[in-house]
mmCIF file with all atom_site columns, all heavy atoms in Angstrom:
data_model
loop_
_atom_site.group_PDB
_atom_site.id
_atom_site.type_symbol
_atom_site.label_atom_id
_atom_site.label_alt_id
_atom_site.label_comp_id
_atom_site.label_asym_id
_atom_site.label_entity_id
_atom_site.label_seq_id
_atom_site.pdbx_PDB_ins_code
_atom_site.Cartn_x
_atom_site.Cartn_y
_atom_site.Cartn_z
_atom_site.occupancy
_atom_site.B_iso_or_equiv
_atom_site.pdbx_formal_charge
_atom_site.auth_seq_id
_atom_site.auth_comp_id
_atom_site.auth_asym_id
_atom_site.auth_atom_id
_atom_site.pdbx_PDB_model_num
ATOM 1   N N   . VAL P 1 120 ? 17.469 -71.643 -15.407 1.00 75.00 ? 1058 VAL P N   1
ATOM 2   C CA  . VAL P 1 120 ? 17.136 -70.752 -14.281 1.00 75.00 ? 1058 VAL P CA  1
ATOM 3   C C   . VAL P 1 120 ? 16.306 -69.594 -14.818 1.00 75.00 ? 1058 VAL P C   1
ATOM 4   O O   . VAL P 1 120 ? 16.602 -69.024 -15.878 1.00 75.00 ? 1058 VAL P O   1
ATOM 5   C CB  . VAL P 1 120 ? 18.411 -70.218 -13.593 1.00 75.00 ? 1058 VAL P CB  1
ATOM 6   C CG1 . VAL P 1 120 ? 18.038 -69.384 -12.378 1.00 75.00 ? 1058 VAL P CG1 1
ATOM 7   C CG2 . VAL P 1 120 ? 19.315 -71.382 -13.202 1.00 75.00 ? 1058 VAL P CG2 1
ATOM 8   N N   . ALA P 1 121 ? 15.279 -69.239 -14.092 1.00 74.00 ? 1059 ALA P N   1
ATOM 9   C CA  . ALA P 1 121 ? 14.463 -68.065 -14.452 1.00 74.00 ? 1059 ALA P CA  1
ATOM 10  C C   . ALA P 1 121 ? 15.299 -66.785 -14.268 1.00 74.00 ? 1059 ALA P C   1
ATOM 11  O O   . ALA P 1 121 ? 15.987 -66.610 -13.249 1.00 74.00 ? 1059 ALA P O   1
ATOM 12  C CB  . ALA P 1 121 ? 13.216 -67.997 -13.582 1.00 74.00 ? 1059 ALA P CB  1
ATOM 13  N N   . ASN P 1 122 ? 15.250 -65.877 -15.279 1.00 74.00 ? 1060 ASN P N   1
ATOM 14  C CA  . ASN P 1 122 ? 16.054 -64.643 -15.286 1.00 74.00 ? 1060 ASN P CA  1
ATOM 15  C C   . ASN P 1 122 ? 15.152 -63.431 -14.987 1.00 74.00 ? 1060 ASN P C   1
ATOM 16  O O   . ASN P 1 122 ? 14.305 -63.055 -15.807 1.00 74.00 ? 1060 ASN P O   1
ATOM 17  C CB  . ASN P 1 122 ? 16.721 -64.473 -16.645 1.00 74.00 ? 1060 ASN P CB  1
ATOM 18  C CG  . ASN P 1 122 ? 17.650 -63.270 -16.678 1.00 74.00 ? 1060 ASN P CG  1
ATOM 19  O OD1 . ASN P 1 122 ? 17.870 -62.631 -15.651 1.00 74.00 ? 1060 ASN P OD1 1
ATOM 20  N ND2 . ASN P 1 122 ? 18.205 -62.958 -17.839 1.00 74.00 ? 1060 ASN P ND2 1
ATOM 21  N N   . PRO P 1 123 ? 15.342 -62.777 -13.813 1.00 75.00 ? 1061 PRO P N   1
ATOM 22  C CA  . PRO P 1 123 ? 14.476 -61.638 -13.472 1.00 75.00 ? 1061 PRO P CA  1
ATOM 23  C C   . PRO P 1 123 ? 15.002 -60.299 -13.991 1.00 75.00 ? 1061 PRO P C   1
ATOM 24  O O   . PRO P 1 123 ? 14.343 -59.264 -13.827 1.00 75.00 ? 1061 PRO P O   1
ATOM 25  C CB  . PRO P 1 123 ? 14.477 -61.653 -11.948 1.00 75.00 ? 1061 PRO P CB  1
ATOM 26  C CG  . PRO P 1 123 ? 15.855 -62.133 -11.601 1.00 75.00 ? 1061 PRO P CG  1
ATOM 27  C CD  . PRO P 1 123 ? 16.247 -63.111 -12.682 1.00 75.00 ? 1061 PRO P CD  1
ATOM 28  N N   . PHE P 1 124 ? 16.200 -60.282 -14.613 1.00 76.00 ? 1062 PHE P N   1
ATOM 29  C CA  . PHE P 1 124 ? 16.833 -58.982 -14.900 1.00 76.00 ? 1062 PHE P CA  1
ATOM 30  C C   . PHE P 1 124 ? 16.112 -58.195 -15.989 1.00 76.00 ? 1062 PHE P C   1
ATOM 31  O O   . PHE P 1 124 ? 16.175 -56.960 -16.004 1.00 76.00 ? 1062 PHE P O   1
ATOM 32  C CB  . PHE P 1 124 ? 18.305 -59.201 -15.275 1.00 76.00 ? 1062 PHE P CB  1
ATOM 33  C CG  . PHE P 1 124 ? 19.168 -59.515 -14.087 1.00 76.00 ? 1062 PHE P CG  1
ATOM 34  C CD1 . PHE P 1 124 ? 19.502 -60.838 -13.778 1.00 76.00 ? 1062 PHE P CD1 1
ATOM 35  C CD2 . PHE P 1 124 ? 19.638 -58.503 -13.270 1.00 76.00 ? 1062 PHE P CD2 1
ATOM 36  C CE1 . PHE P 1 124 ? 20.284 -61.126 -12.684 1.00 76.00 ? 1062 PHE P CE1 1
ATOM 37  C CE2 . PHE P 1 124 ? 20.420 -58.793 -12.178 1.00 76.00 ? 1062 PHE P CE2 1
ATOM 38  C CZ  . PHE P 1 124 ? 20.750 -60.114 -11.876 1.00 76.00 ? 1062 PHE P CZ  1
ATOM 39  N N   . ASP P 1 125 ? 15.458 -58.902 -16.919 1.00 78.00 ? 1063 ASP P N   1
ATOM 40  C CA  . ASP P 1 125 ? 14.688 -58.142 -17.913 1.00 78.00 ? 1063 ASP P CA  1
ATOM 41  C C   . ASP P 1 125 ? 13.575 -57.331 -17.243 1.00 78.00 ? 1063 ASP P C   1
ATOM 42  O O   . ASP P 1 125 ? 13.344 -56.160 -17.572 1.00 78.00 ? 1063 ASP P O   1
ATOM 43  C CB  . ASP P 1 125 ? 14.104 -59.102 -18.939 1.00 78.00 ? 1063 ASP P CB  1
ATOM 44  C CG  . ASP P 1 125 ? 15.167 -59.674 -19.869 1.00 78.00 ? 1063 ASP P CG  1
ATOM 45  O OD1 . ASP P 1 125 ? 16.256 -59.068 -19.937 1.00 78.00 ? 1063 ASP P OD1 1
ATOM 46  O OD2 . ASP P 1 125 ? 14.918 -60.709 -20.506 1.00 78.00 ? 1063 ASP P OD2 1
ATOM 47  N N   . GLU P 1 126 ? 12.885 -57.965 -16.301 1.00 80.00 ? 1064 GLU P N   1
ATOM 48  C CA  . GLU P 1 126 ? 11.801 -57.258 -15.611 1.00 80.00 ? 1064 GLU P CA  1
ATOM 49  C C   . GLU P 1 126 ? 12.339 -56.173 -14.689 1.00 80.00 ? 1064 GLU P C   1
ATOM 50  O O   . GLU P 1 126 ? 11.765 -55.078 -14.583 1.00 80.00 ? 1064 GLU P O   1
ATOM 51  C CB  . GLU P 1 126 ? 10.966 -58.279 -14.814 1.00 80.00 ? 1064 GLU P CB  1
ATOM 52  C CG  . GLU P 1 126 ? 9.622  -57.755 -14.366 1.00 80.00 ? 1064 GLU P CG  1
ATOM 53  C CD  . GLU P 1 126 ? 8.697  -57.459 -15.517 1.00 80.00 ? 1064 GLU P CD  1
ATOM 54  O OE1 . GLU P 1 126 ? 8.786  -58.149 -16.549 1.00 80.00 ? 1064 GLU P OE1 1
ATOM 55  O OE2 . GLU P 1 126 ? 7.873  -56.517 -15.387 1.00 80.00 ? 1064 GLU P OE2 1
ATOM 56  N N   . VAL P 1 127 ? 13.479 -56.469 -14.027 1.00 81.00 ? 1065 VAL P N   1
ATOM 57  C CA  . VAL P 1 127 ? 14.097 -55.450 -13.153 1.00 81.00 ? 1065 VAL P CA  1
ATOM 58  C C   . VAL P 1 127 ? 14.555 -54.262 -13.980 1.00 81.00 ? 1065 VAL P C   1
ATOM 59  O O   . VAL P 1 127 ? 14.437 -53.098 -13.568 1.00 81.00 ? 1065 VAL P O   1
ATOM 60  C CB  . VAL P 1 127 ? 15.265 -56.067 -12.363 1.00 81.00 ? 1065 VAL P CB  1
ATOM 61  C CG1 . VAL P 1 127 ? 15.997 -55.004 -11.554 1.00 81.00 ? 1065 VAL P CG1 1
ATOM 62  C CG2 . VAL P 1 127 ? 14.745 -57.164 -11.428 1.00 81.00 ? 1065 VAL P CG2 1
ATOM 63  N N   . GLU P 1 128 ? 15.064 -54.542 -15.192 1.00 83.00 ? 1066 GLU P N   1
ATOM 64  C CA  . GLU P 1 128 ? 15.507 -53.451 -16.055 1.00 83.00 ? 1066 GLU P CA  1
ATOM 65  C C   . GLU P 1 128 ? 14.325 -52.566 -16.480 1.00 83.00 ? 1066 GLU P C   1
ATOM 66  O O   . GLU P 1 128 ? 14.463 -51.330 -16.544 1.00 83.00 ? 1066 GLU P O   1
ATOM 67  C CB  . GLU P 1 128 ? 16.198 -54.017 -17.292 1.00 83.00 ? 1066 GLU P CB  1
ATOM 68  C CG  . GLU P 1 128 ? 16.774 -52.951 -18.210 1.00 83.00 ? 1066 GLU P CG  1
ATOM 69  C CD  . GLU P 1 128 ? 17.477 -53.556 -19.410 1.00 83.00 ? 1066 GLU P CD  1
ATOM 70  O OE1 . GLU P 1 128 ? 17.541 -54.804 -19.500 1.00 83.00 ? 1066 GLU P OE1 1
ATOM 71  O OE2 . GLU P 1 128 ? 17.965 -52.780 -20.253 1.00 83.00 ? 1066 GLU P OE2 1
ATOM 72  N N   . GLU P 1 129 ? 13.181 -53.182 -16.737 1.00 85.00 ? 1067 GLU P N   1
ATOM 73  C CA  . GLU P 1 129 ? 12.015 -52.380 -17.084 1.00 85.00 ? 1067 GLU P CA  1
ATOM 74  C C   . GLU P 1 129 ? 11.588 -51.483 -15.913 1.00 85.00 ? 1067 GLU P C   1
ATOM 75  O O   . GLU P 1 129 ? 11.228 -50.316 -16.110 1.00 85.00 ? 1067 GLU P O   1
ATOM 76  C CB  . GLU P 1 129 ? 10.864 -53.311 -17.474 1.00 85.00 ? 1067 GLU P CB  1
ATOM 77  C CG  . GLU P 1 129 ? 11.089 -54.039 -18.789 1.00 85.00 ? 1067 GLU P CG  1
ATOM 78  C CD  . GLU P 1 129 ? 9.937  -54.949 -19.141 1.00 85.00 ? 1067 GLU P CD  1
ATOM 79  O OE1 . GLU P 1 129 ? 8.969  -54.982 -18.335 1.00 85.00 ? 1067 GLU P OE1 1
ATOM 80  O OE2 . GLU P 1 129 ? 9.981  -55.612 -20.196 1.00 85.00 ? 1067 GLU P OE2 1
ATOM 81  N N   . VAL P 1 130 ? 11.649 -52.032 -14.703 1.00 87.00 ? 1068 VAL P N   1
ATOM 82  C CA  . VAL P 1 130 ? 11.312 -51.210 -13.533 1.00 87.00 ? 1068 VAL P CA  1
ATOM 83  C C   . VAL P 1 130 ? 12.315 -50.069 -13.371 1.00 87.00 ? 1068 VAL P C   1
ATOM 84  O O   . VAL P 1 130 ? 11.946 -48.918 -13.078 1.00 87.00 ? 1068 VAL P O   1
ATOM 85  C CB  . VAL P 1 130 ? 11.249 -52.082 -12.267 1.00 87.00 ? 1068 VAL P CB  1
ATOM 86  C CG1 . VAL P 1 130 ? 10.962 -51.224 -11.043 1.00 87.00 ? 1068 VAL P CG1 1
ATOM 87  C CG2 . VAL P 1 130 ? 10.192 -53.172 -12.423 1.00 87.00 ? 1068 VAL P CG2 1
ATOM 88  N N   . TRP P 1 131 ? 13.595 -50.363 -13.584 1.00 88.00 ? 1069 TRP P N   1
ATOM 89  C CA  . TRP P 1 131 ? 14.632 -49.339 -13.465 1.00 88.00 ? 1069 TRP P CA  1
ATOM 90  C C   . TRP P 1 131 ? 14.437 -48.234 -14.513 1.00 88.00 ? 1069 TRP P C   1
ATOM 91  O O   . TRP P 1 131 ? 14.567 -47.031 -14.198 1.00 88.00 ? 1069 TRP P O   1
ATOM 92  C CB  . TRP P 1 131 ? 15.999 -49.984 -13.600 1.00 88.00 ? 1069 TRP P CB  1
ATOM 93  C CG  . TRP P 1 131 ? 17.128 -48.994 -13.713 1.00 88.00 ? 1069 TRP P CG  1
ATOM 94  C CD1 . TRP P 1 131 ? 17.889 -48.749 -14.807 1.00 88.00 ? 1069 TRP P CD1 1
ATOM 95  C CD2 . TRP P 1 131 ? 17.593 -48.105 -12.699 1.00 88.00 ? 1069 TRP P CD2 1
ATOM 96  N NE1 . TRP P 1 131 ? 18.814 -47.778 -14.553 1.00 88.00 ? 1069 TRP P NE1 1
ATOM 97  C CE2 . TRP P 1 131 ? 18.651 -47.353 -13.236 1.00 88.00 ? 1069 TRP P CE2 1
ATOM 98  C CE3 . TRP P 1 131 ? 17.224 -47.871 -11.381 1.00 88.00 ? 1069 TRP P CE3 1
ATOM 99  C CZ2 . TRP P 1 131 ? 19.337 -46.391 -12.525 1.00 88.00 ? 1069 TRP P CZ2 1
ATOM 100 C CZ3 . TRP P 1 131 ? 17.914 -46.917 -10.655 1.00 88.00 ? 1069 TRP P CZ3 1
ATOM 101 C CH2 . TRP P 1 131 ? 18.943 -46.189 -11.223 1.00 88.00 ? 1069 TRP P CH2 1
ATOM 102 N N   . GLU P 1 132 ? 14.105 -48.623 -15.741 1.00 88.00 ? 1070 GLU P N   1
ATOM 103 C CA  . GLU P 1 132 ? 13.857 -47.624 -16.773 1.00 88.00 ? 1070 GLU P CA  1
ATOM 104 C C   . GLU P 1 132 ? 12.642 -46.749 -16.410 1.00 88.00 ? 1070 GLU P C   1
ATOM 105 O O   . GLU P 1 132 ? 12.643 -45.531 -16.666 1.00 88.00 ? 1070 GLU P O   1
ATOM 106 C CB  . GLU P 1 132 ? 13.630 -48.318 -18.113 1.00 88.00 ? 1070 GLU P CB  1
ATOM 107 C CG  . GLU P 1 132 ? 14.898 -48.945 -18.678 1.00 88.00 ? 1070 GLU P CG  1
ATOM 108 C CD  . GLU P 1 132 ? 14.621 -49.711 -19.965 1.00 88.00 ? 1070 GLU P CD  1
ATOM 109 O OE1 . GLU P 1 132 ? 13.414 -49.847 -20.311 1.00 88.00 ? 1070 GLU P OE1 1
ATOM 110 O OE2 . GLU P 1 132 ? 15.578 -50.164 -20.608 1.00 88.00 ? 1070 GLU P OE2 1
ATOM 111 N N   . SER P 1 133 ? 11.625 -47.358 -15.810 1.00 90.00 ? 1071 SER P N   1
ATOM 112 C CA  . SER P 1 133 ? 10.463 -46.566 -15.368 1.00 90.00 ? 1071 SER P CA  1
ATOM 113 C C   . SER P 1 133 ? 10.849 -45.573 -14.284 1.00 90.00 ? 1071 SER P C   1
ATOM 114 O O   . SER P 1 133 ? 10.408 -44.412 -14.282 1.00 90.00 ? 1071 SER P O   1
ATOM 115 C CB  . SER P 1 133 ? 9.355  -47.497 -14.862 1.00 90.00 ? 1071 SER P CB  1
ATOM 116 O OG  . SER P 1 133 ? 8.926  -48.371 -15.892 1.00 90.00 ? 1071 SER P OG  1
ATOM 117 N N   . VAL P 1 134 ? 11.709 -46.017 -13.347 1.00 90.00 ? 1072 VAL P N   1
ATOM 118 C CA  . VAL P 1 134 ? 12.162 -45.119 -12.269 1.00 90.00 ? 1072 VAL P CA  1
ATOM 119 C C   . VAL P 1 134 ? 12.966 -43.957 -12.844 1.00 90.00 ? 1072 VAL P C   1
ATOM 120 O O   . VAL P 1 134 ? 12.779 -42.793 -12.455 1.00 90.00 ? 1072 VAL P O   1
ATOM 121 C CB  . VAL P 1 134 ? 12.986 -45.905 -11.240 1.00 90.00 ? 1072 VAL P CB  1
ATOM 122 C CG1 . VAL P 1 134 ? 13.664 -44.964 -10.250 1.00 90.00 ? 1072 VAL P CG1 1
ATOM 123 C CG2 . VAL P 1 134 ? 12.091 -46.893 -10.498 1.00 90.00 ? 1072 VAL P CG2 1
ATOM 124 N N   . VAL P 1 135 ? 13.860 -44.264 -13.790 1.00 91.00 ? 1073 VAL P N   1
ATOM 125 C CA  . VAL P 1 135 ? 14.666 -43.198 -14.401 1.00 91.00 ? 1073 VAL P CA  1
ATOM 126 C C   . VAL P 1 135 ? 13.774 -42.216 -15.158 1.00 91.00 ? 1073 VAL P C   1
ATOM 127 O O   . VAL P 1 135 ? 13.959 -40.995 -15.076 1.00 91.00 ? 1073 VAL P O   1
ATOM 128 C CB  . VAL P 1 135 ? 15.726 -43.817 -15.341 1.00 91.00 ? 1073 VAL P CB  1
ATOM 129 C CG1 . VAL P 1 135 ? 16.438 -42.727 -16.133 1.00 91.00 ? 1073 VAL P CG1 1
ATOM 130 C CG2 . VAL P 1 135 ? 16.735 -44.622 -14.536 1.00 91.00 ? 1073 VAL P CG2 1
ATOM 131 N N   . LEU P 1 136 ? 12.789 -42.744 -15.885 1.00 93.00 ? 1074 LEU P N   1
ATOM 132 C CA  . LEU P 1 136 ? 11.877 -41.868 -16.627 1.00 93.00 ? 1074 LEU P CA  1
ATOM 133 C C   . LEU P 1 136 ? 11.072 -40.975 -15.692 1.00 93.00 ? 1074 LEU P C   1
ATOM 134 O O   . LEU P 1 136 ? 10.919 -39.764 -15.946 1.00 93.00 ? 1074 LEU P O   1
ATOM 135 C CB  . LEU P 1 136 ? 10.938 -42.730 -17.481 1.00 93.00 ? 1074 LEU P CB  1
ATOM 136 C CG  . LEU P 1 136 ? 9.911  -41.957 -18.325 1.00 93.00 ? 1074 LEU P CG  1
ATOM 137 C CD1 . LEU P 1 136 ? 10.611 -41.032 -19.305 1.00 93.00 ? 1074 LEU P CD1 1
ATOM 138 C CD2 . LEU P 1 136 ? 8.987  -42.930 -19.061 1.00 93.00 ? 1074 LEU P CD2 1
ATOM 139 N N   . VAL P 1 137 ? 10.588 -41.553 -14.606 1.00 92.00 ? 1075 VAL P N   1
ATOM 140 C CA  . VAL P 1 137 ? 9.836  -40.748 -13.632 1.00 92.00 ? 1075 VAL P CA  1
ATOM 141 C C   . VAL P 1 137 ? 10.735 -39.684 -13.007 1.00 92.00 ? 1075 VAL P C   1
ATOM 142 O O   . VAL P 1 137 ? 10.314 -38.535 -12.804 1.00 92.00 ? 1075 VAL P O   1
ATOM 143 C CB  . VAL P 1 137 ? 9.225  -41.663 -12.555 1.00 92.00 ? 1075 VAL P CB  1
ATOM 144 C CG1 . VAL P 1 137 ? 8.672  -40.841 -11.393 1.00 92.00 ? 1075 VAL P CG1 1
ATOM 145 C CG2 . VAL P 1 137 ? 8.127  -42.528 -13.155 1.00 92.00 ? 1075 VAL P CG2 1
ATOM 146 N N   . PHE P 1 138 ? 11.990 -40.045 -12.722 1.00 92.00 ? 1076 PHE P N   1
ATOM 147 C CA  . PHE P 1 138 ? 12.919 -39.078 -12.149 1.00 92.00 ? 1076 PHE P CA  1
ATOM 148 C C   . PHE P 1 138 ? 13.162 -37.912 -13.106 1.00 92.00 ? 1076 PHE P C   1
ATOM 149 O O   . PHE P 1 138 ? 13.158 -36.736 -12.701 1.00 92.00 ? 1076 PHE P O   1
ATOM 150 C CB  . PHE P 1 138 ? 14.236 -39.778 -11.807 1.00 92.00 ? 1076 PHE P CB  1
ATOM 151 C CG  . PHE P 1 138 ? 15.284 -38.836 -11.285 1.00 92.00 ? 1076 PHE P CG  1
ATOM 152 C CD1 . PHE P 1 138 ? 15.240 -38.361 -9.987  1.00 92.00 ? 1076 PHE P CD1 1
ATOM 153 C CD2 . PHE P 1 138 ? 16.340 -38.427 -12.107 1.00 92.00 ? 1076 PHE P CD2 1
ATOM 154 C CE1 . PHE P 1 138 ? 16.211 -37.491 -9.506  1.00 92.00 ? 1076 PHE P CE1 1
ATOM 155 C CE2 . PHE P 1 138 ? 17.306 -37.558 -11.639 1.00 92.00 ? 1076 PHE P CE2 1
ATOM 156 C CZ  . PHE P 1 138 ? 17.246 -37.093 -10.335 1.00 92.00 ? 1076 PHE P CZ  1
ATOM 157 N N   . VAL P 1 139 ? 13.358 -38.238 -14.378 1.00 94.00 ? 1077 VAL P N   1
ATOM 158 C CA  . VAL P 1 139 ? 13.573 -37.176 -15.383 1.00 94.00 ? 1077 VAL P CA  1
ATOM 159 C C   . VAL P 1 139 ? 12.334 -36.289 -15.476 1.00 94.00 ? 1077 VAL P C   1
ATOM 160 O O   . VAL P 1 139 ? 12.440 -35.048 -15.550 1.00 94.00 ? 1077 VAL P O   1
ATOM 161 C CB  . VAL P 1 139 ? 13.934 -37.798 -16.738 1.00 94.00 ? 1077 VAL P CB  1
ATOM 162 C CG1 . VAL P 1 139 ? 13.959 -36.717 -17.821 1.00 94.00 ? 1077 VAL P CG1 1
ATOM 163 C CG2 . VAL P 1 139 ? 15.287 -38.504 -16.663 1.00 94.00 ? 1077 VAL P CG2 1
#
Side-chain angles (χ1 to χ4, degrees):
V1058 184
N1060 184 6
F1062 285 98
D1063 288 342
E1064 196 65 32
V1065 175
E1066 184 179 358
E1067 291 180 0
V1068 177
W1069 171 249
E1070 290 176 353
S1071 299
V1072 170
V1073 172
L1074 180 60
V1075 169
F1076 177 77
V1077 172

